[in-house]
Amino acid sequence: MSQFDVTIIGSGPGGYVSAIRCAQLGFKTAIIEKYSTLGGTCLNVGCIPSKAMLASSHHYEELQHFANHGIEVSGDVKVNLQKMIDRKQAVVDQTSGGVKYLMDKNKVTVFEGVGSFESATSVKVTKNDGSSEVIESKYIIVATGSKPSSLPFISIDKERIITSTEALKLPEVPKHLVIIGGGVIGIELGQVYLRLGAQVSVVEYMDRIIPGMDGALSKELTKVLKKQGMKFYTSHKVKEVTRNGNAVTVKADDAKGNEIALEGDYCLVAVGRRPYTDGLNAEKAGVQINERGQVVVNDHLQTTASNVYAIGDVIRGAMLAHKAEEEGVLVAEYLAGQKPHIDYNLIPGVVYTWPEVAAVGKTEEQLKADGVAYKSGSFPFKALGRARAGGDIDGFVKILADSKTDEVLGVHMIGARCADLIAEAVTAMEFRASAEDISRMSHAHPTFAEAIKEAALAATDNRALHV
């Protein structure tokens, strides 16, 4: 029987990063993955492939506007969807191979199969051929991630009524893609197919899209996507989804009970994700699962079994790859006797549409609900020389700061390069910077990052210079 110091069930961003850190700290480490490729949902059917499709479709969209830059493209520009998907898969394969390389480099033993508890210190690995083996481990980390959620009355056939997994490998560009759910996944994939020529309709139960983010970001993204041709049905409750041949009908009621019926050839169900603990046999280890299907953990991410820990989508909190990575490192360092910490308020959120949307810290809605006195400063991208030079003038940066201390409480941005720009805000807030601190930092000109400096100036006595 194989014996390890640490065994990790699941090889997504949380699992494989935790394995690397455990190995760096001197633990004999194993990782268990039920699929033949490493990387979990994020790498195989989530973050990486969706960004590859977003990048390819963005290039196609940009070609339509090259004439504005004095570049004339002769002949028709056509979409080869299969080639686009093949490229996406090549990116996935290369990245997955990179994770395998990192496991080998760090001497992490990889087991292919389904991991399930036999006890708090033993895990059975059941392989695809039905054979199994049991490994012993002093510590076990559950990193089994999440799966797409659905609604109880929807029958997902993976052909016309699909999840995000199938949306990444469609055989054709939809004529009309109806998306149930206006969160990050639905909006990102919706923009991919909108760019490629599909009609896209988004049905959202809440009164706005990306409802977990600041309301100003939602409003601006809605405006931009409407301008691009996306249609929205917010405050609509879906009640029926039916398929007839290649046609899908989605029926929903608005806030007043009025029914709408949308006819499409594909329906993407993007109503969120659920923790994945199927087949884990957590009860055999004394690991508690709550009513939401999450593994229950304390502040050290320790489960109700003292030697078992859990990280990522399978526990409480935002379902984000980088959140899982931070938790994977935290557990490894905690097991090594170190004293790591995570400030969950400083885990940024990003929507990889174009313009990109990014945020960290508190929203205005949260500050108002908490009764916090704050001040706000905003700066539009259209006032930036760099934005005008590139033609990316949509969006703004908004900084929220404490009215008395000037400490930055939240940064919310929508525009070009925001997925990268948000790191500046995270850094500033990690060191508890004030808005004035940011306003006095030199930002290279011309850059998109100048919008952050200008928003900080706007938040400190309305001192923005270029608006």
Side-chain angles (χ1 to χ4, degrees):
M1 185 180 296
S2 300
Q3 294 188 335
F4 296 91
D5 297 319
V6 181
T7 296
I8 300 160
I9 306 175
S11 73
Y16 86 73
V17 167
S18 188
I20 292 170
R21 188 68 183 118
C22 284
Q24 288 176 342
L25 291 166
F27 293 111
K28 184 181 179 183
T29 307
I31 194 164
I32 302 170
E33 173 53 58
K34 69 175 183 176
Y35 294 115
S36 59
T37 57
L38 301 176
T41 292
C42 176
L43 195 158
N44 290 281
V45 292
C47 320
I48 301 303
S50 64
K51 303 318 165 272
M53 293 291 284
L54 279 161
S56 295
S57 63
H58 185 53
H59 288 319
Y60 173 69
E61 183 184 46
E62 283 189 312
L63 275 173
Q64 318 304 311
H65 305 289
F66 270 14
N68 295 334
H69 291 270
I71 303 170
E72 296 181 2
V73 180
S74 61
D76 294 334
V77 179
K78 298 179 180 179
V79 172
N80 185 328
L81 183 60
Q82 187 55 55
K83 192 167 185 178
M84 194 177 288
I85 290 173
D86 290 344
R87 177 191 173 275
K88 175 264 301 181
Q89 192 57 48
V91 171
V92 168
D93 293 343
Q94 183 180 22
T95 311
S96 177
V99 176
K100 178 64 168 64
Y101 163 77
L102 290 171
M103 296 300 97
D104 293 340
K105 175 188 174 184
N106 289 281
K107 297 180 174 56
V108 175
T109 303
V110 177
F111 292 89
E112 183 181 336
V114 175
S116 58
F117 283 106
E118 288 289 287
S119 71
T121 57
S122 60
V123 179
K124 181 168 74 171
V125 182
T126 304
K127 301 176 183 178
N128 289 334
D129 62 6
S131 63
S132 64
E133 62 179 306
V134 176
I135 61 178
E136 290 286 326
S137 189
K138 183 178 181 181
Y139 300 107
I140 297 168
I141 301 173
V142 178
T144 48
S146 61
K147 290 289 183 182
S149 295
S150 185
L151 298 173
F153 54 86
I154 297 178
S155 178
I156 294 175
D157 59 24
K158 299 186 178 182
E159 293 177 352
R160 295 284 167 174
I161 304 173
I162 60 175
T163 70
S164 57
T165 301
E166 294 77 45
L168 291 166
K169 53 184 179 181
L170 290 181
E172 61 185 349
V173 176
K175 296 179 181 66
H176 184 194
L177 175 63
V178 180
I179 300 174
I180 302 174
V184 177
I185 295 171
I187 295 300
E188 287 184 355
L189 291 173
Q191 192 178 49
V192 167
Y193 287 106
L194 181 71
R195 290 166 174 168
L196 300 182
Q199 178 185 344
V200 177
S201 300
V202 177
V203 184
E204 168 57 45
Y205 178 74
M206 303 294 286
D207 62 356
R208 58 189 176 93
I209 62 171
I210 53 171
M213 303 188 86
D214 190 275
L217 298 181
S218 173
K219 183 178 180 180
E220 180 73 5
L221 184 61
T222 300
K223 183 183 78 174
V224 173
L225 292 178
K226 278 185 175 179
K227 187 168 61 176
Q228 294 174 5
M230 195 175 291
K231 296 181 179 180
F232 296 98
Y233 300 86
T234 54
S235 298
H236 277 70
K237 182 179 181 180
V238 174
K239 61 182 182 180
E240 184 179 318
V241 179
T242 55
R243 176 182 175 183
N244 183 13
N246 291 337
V248 180
T249 302
V250 176
K251 292 183 179 181
D253 290 337
D254 67 13
K256 296 180 180 179
N258 300 312
E259 181 184 273
I260 63 164
L262 299 174
E263 302 283 346
D265 51 342
Y266 288 91
C267 173
L268 168 60
V269 181
V271 294
R273 300 180 64 84
R274 64 173 180 86
Y276 185 73
T277 57
D278 301 13
L280 188 61
N281 292 336
E283 67 282 354
K284 287 189 175 182
V287 171
Q288 182 183 350
I289 308 291
N290 68 18
E291 67 281 356
R292 300 182 64 184
Q294 299 166 325
V295 176
V296 177
V297 294
N298 62 18
D299 290 342
H300 298 301
L301 307 184
Q302 186 179 39
T303 72
T304 46
S306 61
N307 69 306
V308 179
Y309 295 75
I311 61 174
D313 289 4
V314 81
I315 67 170
R316 63 180 182 240
M319 292 185 172
L320 298 169
H322 45 288
K323 177 248 194 191
E325 290 184 9
E326 297 299 327
E327 291 175 335
V329 171
L330 181 141
V331 171
E333 293 179 350
Y334 182 73
L335 294 179
Q338 298 181 15
K339 297 185 178 181
H341 82 283
I342 296 174
D343 185 342
Y344 284 98
N345 184 52
L346 299 185
I347 301 290
V350 178
V351 186
Y352 292 89
T353 48
W354 196 265
E356 294 175 332
V357 185
V360 65
K362 301 295 185 182
T363 67
E364 279 207 61
E365 292 80 5
Q366 289 171 328
L367 293 176
K368 288 176 181 176
D370 294 341
V372 176
Y374 69 93
K375 53 187 178 176
S376 175
S378 295
F379 189 82
F381 273 87
K382 66 183 178 182
L384 287 179
R386 179 68 180 85
R388 289 195 298 272
D392 292 305
I393 59 173
D394 289 321
F396 59 84
V397 174
K398 179 170 74 171
I399 291 180
L400 307 174
D402 188 280
S403 289
K404 295 180 180 179
T405 67
D406 198 38
E407 180 179 350
V408 176
L409 304 176
V411 180
H412 308 276
M413 55 181 74
I414 174 171
R417 311 281 184 257
C418 283
D420 299 299
L421 293 177
I422 197 65
E424 176 179 340
V426 176
T427 302
M429 291 177 67
E430 181 69 39
F431 289 93
R432 302 194 66 175
S434 66
E436 185 167 355
D437 287 334
I438 297 175
S439 74
R440 294 192 177 277
M441 293 165 49
S442 178
H443 287 65
H445 174 76
T447 60
F448 291 106
E450 288 177 283
I452 300 175
K453 176 185 176 76
E454 292 276 5
L457 283 166
T460 52
D461 301 322
N462 197 25
R463 294 190 290 126
L465 299 169
H466 289 89
V467 69

